[in-house]
Amino acid sequence: MAFNHLLAAMHDAFGPLSASPVTHSVPMAKNQRPSRPPGSGGSRPSPDMVLDRLAAGAGRSARITHTEHLPPRAGTHAVWPDRIRPEVIAAIQKAGIDHPWAHQAAAAEHALDGTSVVIATGTASGKSLAYLAPVLSALLDGSEAPNGRGATALYLSPTKALAADQRRSVKALAAPLGNGIRPAVFDGDTPVEEREWVRQYANYVLTNPDMLHRGILPSHPRWSSFLRSLRYVVIDECHTYRGVFGSHVAQVVRRLRRLCARYGSDPVFLLASATSAEPALAAGRLTGLPVTEVADDASPRGELVFALWEPPLTELHGEKGAPVRRTATAETADLLTDLTVQGVRSVAFVRSRRGAELISVIAKERLAEVDRTLPSRVAAYRGGYLPEERRALERALHSGSLLGLAATTALELGIDVSGLDAVVISGYPGTRASLWQQAGRAGRAGQGALAILVARDDPLDTFLVHHPEALFEQPVESTVLDPDNPYVLAPHLCAAAAELPLTENDLPLFGPAAPGLLPQLETARLLRKRPSGWHWTRRERAADLTDIRGEGGRPVQIVEEGTGRLLGTVDESAAHSAVHEGAVHLHQGRTYLVRKLDLEDSVALVEQADPPYSTTARDTTSIAVLDTDTEIPWGDGRLCYGSVEVTNQVVSFLRRRLISGEVLGETKLDLPPRTLRTRAVWWTVTEDQLDAARINPEILGGALHAAEHASIGMLPLFATCDRWDIGGVSVPLHPDTLLPTVFVYDGHPGGAGFAERAFHTAREWLSATRLAIASCECDAGCPSCIQSPKCGNGNDPLHKRGAVRLLTELLRSAPGGETSGAVGAVGADEPGDAAEGREGAPGGLGGAAQGPGGADQGPGGADQGPGRAPQGPGVPPENRRATAEGPGHPAESGPGHRADPGPPGAAARPPEEQPPPAPPGT
């Protein structure tokens, strides 16, 4: 738990920039107190010095395209509200925190007033303490009730690791309060013998939305005493609840509120968020309640040096002879190695599980050449590990025995890693909010810190490292979620009916779409209307109708063929691309080859091997328009938004040489197609517009295909998504539009709001796309502008100059005219010659619905196959096909989210009237 009041630790490599402790303060107006700004002193190297050492190697200084210096900031203290119990304030002071920051005191005041509040301040600003002070005070009040549990609190985190970390911190903070505070984790890893104790006696239960959905709400009679006394619900890292996952969590929260009302409680919601746009609005959508925001960060901050780093071009050539940059994975592994040798405590954030494992392996090998003791101080941390592996890594991280860590976003979400000196971010994480969240992991004890963003060979990454204003001068994004999505809402109506019969009075809670869905659920014989309301009619558990992370299906177990040992799991939606036959699978630094994928039994059999390559899946996609909701003229062309059906199939995989990424070969696969109904934005162009852009039939397919690739790569700059959340298809003549058409669609059933955001920001989005292509220094296209490493069509056809001219003409006809600084900045006929960098586009499996954050798989943007379009006159045969880029695999959402619901249908138990016993094992 980060209170941001900790003294500089022994592992603090930037002691000179540590915040000076506040020795005295003078009361100011509005309950505030000024504190001294972070000071300096000591002999540890500064972030600038560490960066200079990293850049000292041959040719390395040229890789730094920009360095941003964020100066230290003074903090502003306040005093705790007088309604916080003195015992709680004393416990906080015993932890070394004399006074709260002003935003902490303001949030606590709202909580005590019974007002739901979202705290949206920077990383390490002490959000945890802001909600813990009122929560602990209320629990201490409740401990004086006859049954010892007159008040309870529920804590929701997006990952198990964060919940376990919070429990450790709460237990330490509340130790002086004795048995009055009884925190306990309740998730799929909780031993069976402890679960009944948690239900009956814990007054601060830490869990995740998955367990709430599958385990707690369906068994609410067994939780009756807890729910009856529920005073506060804490939703930590609430900015991660976006897209389909966020929409599911919003409905789970509504089900919780409904059951609380049934038991007579009306909890106050306390939400903690990274800095985001309109946090109160997003929190209101998530909870269905009015929420007050506290967004003025009053905590101090040490200096942050933020470098943008572009890997160099290699002598290798990719598809169609395109220049190839050194991979971000290899570059990140080098930086992590060098930081470890310097003794700088560091974490490297990687978008994929495979990437985290690979960086760890490379760093260990290189460290062994320097000092044989160093490899043991570097490890990988990702989702999919077994519980005991995760816990061991977390202990090593907290103890300081680990010096370097290659981690997925499983570690991004708030785990206390105080004392880190540097963060390396391997590839733009998809949103500015995630970028700052990851960068904020360093310097958590108030010291100065170094952050490095290493660009992938990808249009968006390349754009950002050469346009730093897009990162440092733009606000963070709004959180996008749509609780009224019928694909999300319908299963939750069924789950709610199984918990308690649904009545007419319940429907407003679930939103305006609920009344229209009930007749459909009756027709499907899922619900039956009776005088008492709508009832669940089936023997199966209604909560099993949906996986709230949108992953769907049961996870595929990865089993070592020779021993039968379970190595881990992968989501069903990712299995086609992650563990297909012949795939390379990395686990804890060991390499395995998949020998067989049994989809029927959900098992992938692997054997240990040491191939000199990695594997990347390719897939094909076709698309059909189901319904057009909105249509805007762009000259003679049209910009549209509506519903589509996407058919996707993984058809092959590439073998790529390690480190260099050189393609060694392609192997065909025979896997079944999958269908997805979702939402899309698409644009069409007419023959006159093509003539004006000088796009003849021979280059039409390549121009559309190139524009599609680049537009998918650039959309994360305008919507709260990453490339794995979306897919695309381009067709020279689509049967539904009867025109050349480019589609970009949400990779989630029913949509996730990303395509809608693209529709509303289309002019800015496509202007940036055009600029990214035109300013790339390559001649005919490369991974930094229009190529996709997972193109099912082998990046053929692509026409870079045609894409620039096509987008220029399209934008000329857009409402509002050309976008200043984008369209027309470079001549329409030829790409510009600005020295822009390039890095490979991520991508993945089409049709997979996903959770938040980074992808499970390695780099590659799917781009695929045979189209559905009729063949119009004048279009050469080689261009008469659809090309596409599919959305990626489920996002890395943290280790082991699947809830273990426990035995269903257990009888309700009355509250105990005696003091609670100690939990098992204590």
Side-chain angles (χ1 to χ4, degrees):
M1 177 180 310
F3 294 151
N4 203 35
H5 295 266
L6 303 176
L7 299 177
M10 61 179 291
H11 297 289
D12 179 7
F14 300 136
L17 297 162
S18 297
S20 299
V22 177
T23 56
H24 68 279
S25 54
V26 180
M28 296 177 66
K30 297 186 179 179
N31 209 33
Q32 296 185 350
R33 313 163 68 98
S35 74
R36 293 165 57 186
S40 60
S43 58
R44 297 279 187 171
S46 69
D48 278 314
M49 188 180 298
V50 175
L51 182 61
D52 288 343
R53 291 174 182 172
L54 292 176
R60 271 194 165 185
S61 61
R63 303 177 193 181
I64 301 174
T65 62
H66 179 80
T67 304
E68 190 82 8
H69 291 262
L70 281 72
R73 177 186 65 203
T76 302
H77 277 117
V79 295
W80 288 114
D82 54 13
R83 288 174 287 173
I84 301 288
R85 287 183 60 132
E87 302 98 313
V88 173
I89 294 176
I92 294 171
Q93 290 172 340
K94 188 173 182 179
I97 304 162
D98 291 332
H99 303 287
W101 305 120
H103 65 271
Q104 293 174 323
E109 192 79 53
H110 287 301
L112 294 168
D113 289 341
T115 302
S116 293
V117 62
V118 57
I119 313 152
T121 53
T123 304
S125 59
K127 293 186 285 286
S128 299
L129 190 60
Y131 60 71
L132 271 177
V135 166
L136 295 181
S137 186
L139 296 183
L140 206 56
D141 287 340
S143 68
E144 298 169 356
N147 68 348
R149 196 163 74 161
T152 60
L154 181 69
Y155 170 91
L156 295 177
S157 82
T159 68
K160 287 181 179 180
L162 178 54
D165 183 79
Q166 288 285 303
R167 179 190 175 276
R168 284 191 294 268
S169 299
V170 172
K171 191 172 182 180
L173 179 66
L177 304 178
N179 199 39
I181 309 298
R182 299 182 296 280
V185 171
F186 191 88
D187 60 24
D189 294 345
T190 304
V192 174
E193 62 271 17
E194 290 186 21
R195 295 188 176 198
E196 189 60 29
W197 184 92
V198 175
R199 280 188 285 263
Q200 293 301 315
Y201 302 114
N203 57 5
Y204 189 57
V205 173
L206 302 97
T207 188
N208 51 59
D210 313 70
M211 192 57 153
L212 184 61
H213 163 62
R214 292 182 181 271
I216 295 176
L217 298 182
S219 302
H220 65 89
R222 305 181 71 183
W223 290 85
S224 59
S225 66
F226 180 88
L227 295 173
R228 187 175 291 113
S229 303
L230 190 58
R231 185 79 59 83
Y232 290 111
V233 176
V234 176
I235 304 180
D236 206 355
E237 305 291 352
C238 69
H239 62 282
T240 64
Y241 298 123
R242 59 180 177 83
V244 168
F245 177 47
S247 302
H248 276 296
V249 173
Q251 292 298 346
V252 172
V253 169
R254 284 154 176 76
R255 285 164 49 201
L256 171 65
R257 289 177 50 208
R258 176 173 175 259
L259 291 178
C260 286
R262 163 68 173 79
Y263 289 107
S265 63
D266 185 17
V268 175
F269 284 78
L270 311 178
L271 302 95
S273 170
T275 304
S276 63
E278 301 178 318
L281 183 62
R285 283 197 299 263
L286 185 64
T287 61
L289 293 167
V291 178
T292 298
E293 70 180 56
V294 173
D296 292 331
D297 192 340
S299 64
R301 181 186 64 199
E303 177 192 15
L304 176 65
V305 175
F306 204 133
L308 304 183
W309 187 289
E310 183 177 47
L313 287 169
T314 68
E315 296 180 355
L316 300 173
H317 295 281
E319 292 179 294
K320 311 302 176 187
V324 174
R325 287 195 177 271
R326 192 162 188 257
T327 66
T329 298
E331 200 79 358
T332 301
D334 279 358
L335 291 171
L336 186 63
T337 301
D338 292 349
L339 288 166
T340 303
V341 170
Q342 288 189 45
V344 176
R345 292 190 67 191
S346 312
V347 61
F349 282 112
V350 194
R351 292 170 64 95
S352 71
R353 293 181 177 187
R354 183 183 303 173
E357 293 281 2
L358 189 56
I359 286 172
S360 173
V361 169
I362 296 170
K364 284 174 181 286
E365 290 176 353
R366 293 178 181 171
L367 287 168
E369 299 171 1
V370 178
D371 185 337
R372 291 185 178 181
T373 65
L374 287 177
S376 63
R377 304 198 68 185
V378 173
Y381 185 102
R382 61 169 176 82
Y385 284 167
L386 300 177
E388 55 271 22
E389 293 174 321
R390 292 199 309 271
R391 299 293 178 255
L393 285 169
E394 289 160 17
R395 285 194 298 270
L397 181 63
H398 280 277
S399 69
S401 61
L402 280 179
L403 198 56
L405 199 65
T408 59
T409 50
L411 191 71
E412 173 189 332
L413 303 176
I415 297 177
D416 180 12
V417 285
S418 298
L420 284 181
D421 307 317
V423 166
V424 181
I425 303 169
S426 182
Y428 182 60
T431 66
R432 286 181 289 270
S434 289
L435 180 77
W436 290 111
Q437 183 80 358
Q438 292 179 6
R441 294 302 98 187
R444 287 176 66 87
Q447 78 271 23
L450 172 66
I452 302 173
L453 172 62
V454 180
R456 293 162 307 175
D457 209 4
D458 164 274
L460 180 56
D461 285 35
T462 298
F463 180 86
L464 292 173
V465 295
H466 289 279
H467 296 84
E469 68 279 359
L471 291 176
F472 301 114
E473 297 177 17
Q474 295 295 322
V476 294
E477 306 85 351
S478 300
T479 302
V480 177
L481 66 150
D482 179 17
D484 295 325
N485 180 337
Y487 289 86
V488 170
L489 177 55
H492 288 286
L493 291 175
C494 292
E499 291 153 8
L500 286 174
L502 271 173
T503 67
E504 294 281 356
N505 292 335
D506 293 326
L507 299 186
L509 177 65
F510 292 98
L517 283 175
L518 290 174
Q520 300 177 44
L521 296 174
E522 289 182 69
T523 302
R525 297 184 178 180
L526 294 171
L527 296 183
R528 178 179 299 169
K529 188 173 185 181
R530 294 174 179 167
S532 57
W534 285 271
H535 292 249
W536 173 245
T537 62
R538 302 197 174 186
R539 296 174 61 89
E540 298 90 350
R541 286 167 44 94
D544 294 337
L545 284 177
T546 187
D547 181 338
I548 67 170
R549 294 187 188 265
E551 292 151 4
R554 96 180 135 136
V556 173
Q557 294 184 317
I558 303 171
V559 177
E560 192 171 19
E561 190 173 31
T563 64
R565 183 169 67 103
L566 176 65
L567 298 181
T569 62
V570 64
D571 300 316
E572 189 273 339
S573 57
H576 287 219
S577 291
V579 288
H580 56 76
E581 187 172 320
V584 173
H585 176 73
L586 292 174
H587 181 79
Q588 289 283 39
R590 295 185 178 90
T591 307
Y592 298 84
L593 275 177
V594 179
R595 292 304 180 191
K596 181 181 180 182
L597 171 60
D598 188 333
L599 293 172
E600 186 174 338
D601 292 335
S602 297
V603 172
L605 297 177
V606 303
E607 67 177 16
Q608 194 163 348
D610 190 24
Y613 58 83
S614 64
T615 53
T616 307
R618 281 181 156 174
D619 48 9
T620 62
T621 301
S622 60
I623 193 165
V625 176
L626 302 178
D627 185 51
T628 303
D629 291 357
T630 310
E631 184 176 306
I632 298 174
W634 276 32
D636 293 333
R638 293 287 186 271
L639 176 74
C640 306
Y641 172 72
S643 298
V644 297
E645 182 175 81
V646 182
T647 302
N648 173 270
Q649 184 175 18
V650 175
V651 294
S652 65
F653 67 93
L654 297 180
R655 296 185 305 282
R656 293 179 177 272
R657 192 183 302 279
L658 295 175
I659 309 301
S660 71
E662 178 187 359
V663 176
L664 302 176
E666 182 175 6
T667 303
K668 300 297 181 184
L669 293 171
D670 183 19
L671 289 167
R674 292 152 69 175
T675 301
L676 168 74
R677 290 196 172 195
T678 186
R679 309 285 277 169
V681 58
W682 62 94
W683 49 268
T684 64
V685 289
T686 64
E687 188 173 345
D688 289 343
Q689 288 174 310
L690 294 177
D691 289 342
R694 303 195 309 283
I695 304 294
N696 59 41
E698 285 72 23
I699 68 170
L700 173 59
L704 291 169
H705 192 189
E708 172 224 321
H709 276 190
S711 65
I712 289 172
M714 294 300 292
L715 182 56
L717 201 57
F718 299 90
T720 313
C721 67
D722 56 44
R723 190 166 187 158
W724 285 269
D725 289 323
I726 51 181
V729 178
S730 56
V731 192
L733 186 63
H734 193 273
D736 297 322
T737 65
L738 301 178
L739 289 169
T741 309
V742 173
F743 294 85
V744 174
Y745 61 87
D746 291 342
H748 310 267
F754 308 133
E756 183 177 14
R757 178 69 177 162
F759 177 80
H760 291 298
T761 62
R763 188 163 63 91
E764 294 81 5
W765 163 44
L766 294 178
S767 296
T769 299
R770 181 207 173 277
L771 179 60
I773 302 172
S775 59
C776 183
E777 64 186 2
C778 71
D779 291 329
C782 68
S784 294
C785 56
I786 61 172
Q787 284 190 354
S788 166
K790 291 187 69 175
C791 177
N793 295 86
N795 282 304
D796 182 38
L798 288 175
H799 199 285
K800 178 179 178 178
R801 291 174 174 83
V804 173
R805 296 198 300 268
L806 181 64
L807 288 168
T808 300
E809 182 60 33
L810 180 71
L811 288 161
R812 204 182 308 281
S813 305
E818 297 177 356
T819 300
S820 176
V823 181
V826 182
D829 291 341
E830 300 294 331
D833 54 7
E836 303 288 325
R838 4 269 121 249
E839 245 293 279
L845 167 101
Q850 303 101 337
D856 282 346
Q857 294 313 107
D863 194 53
Q864 6 348 349
R868 307 162 56 103
Q871 309 311 321
V875 180
E878 64 271 20
N879 288 336
R880 294 178 183 175
R881 59 184 175 185
T883 53
E885 177 167 333
H889 305 285
E892 185 73 62
S893 46
H897 301 286
R898 293 191 177 274
D900 182 355
R909 296 172 182 242
E912 302 293 335
E913 295 297 328
Q914 62 270 4
T922 61

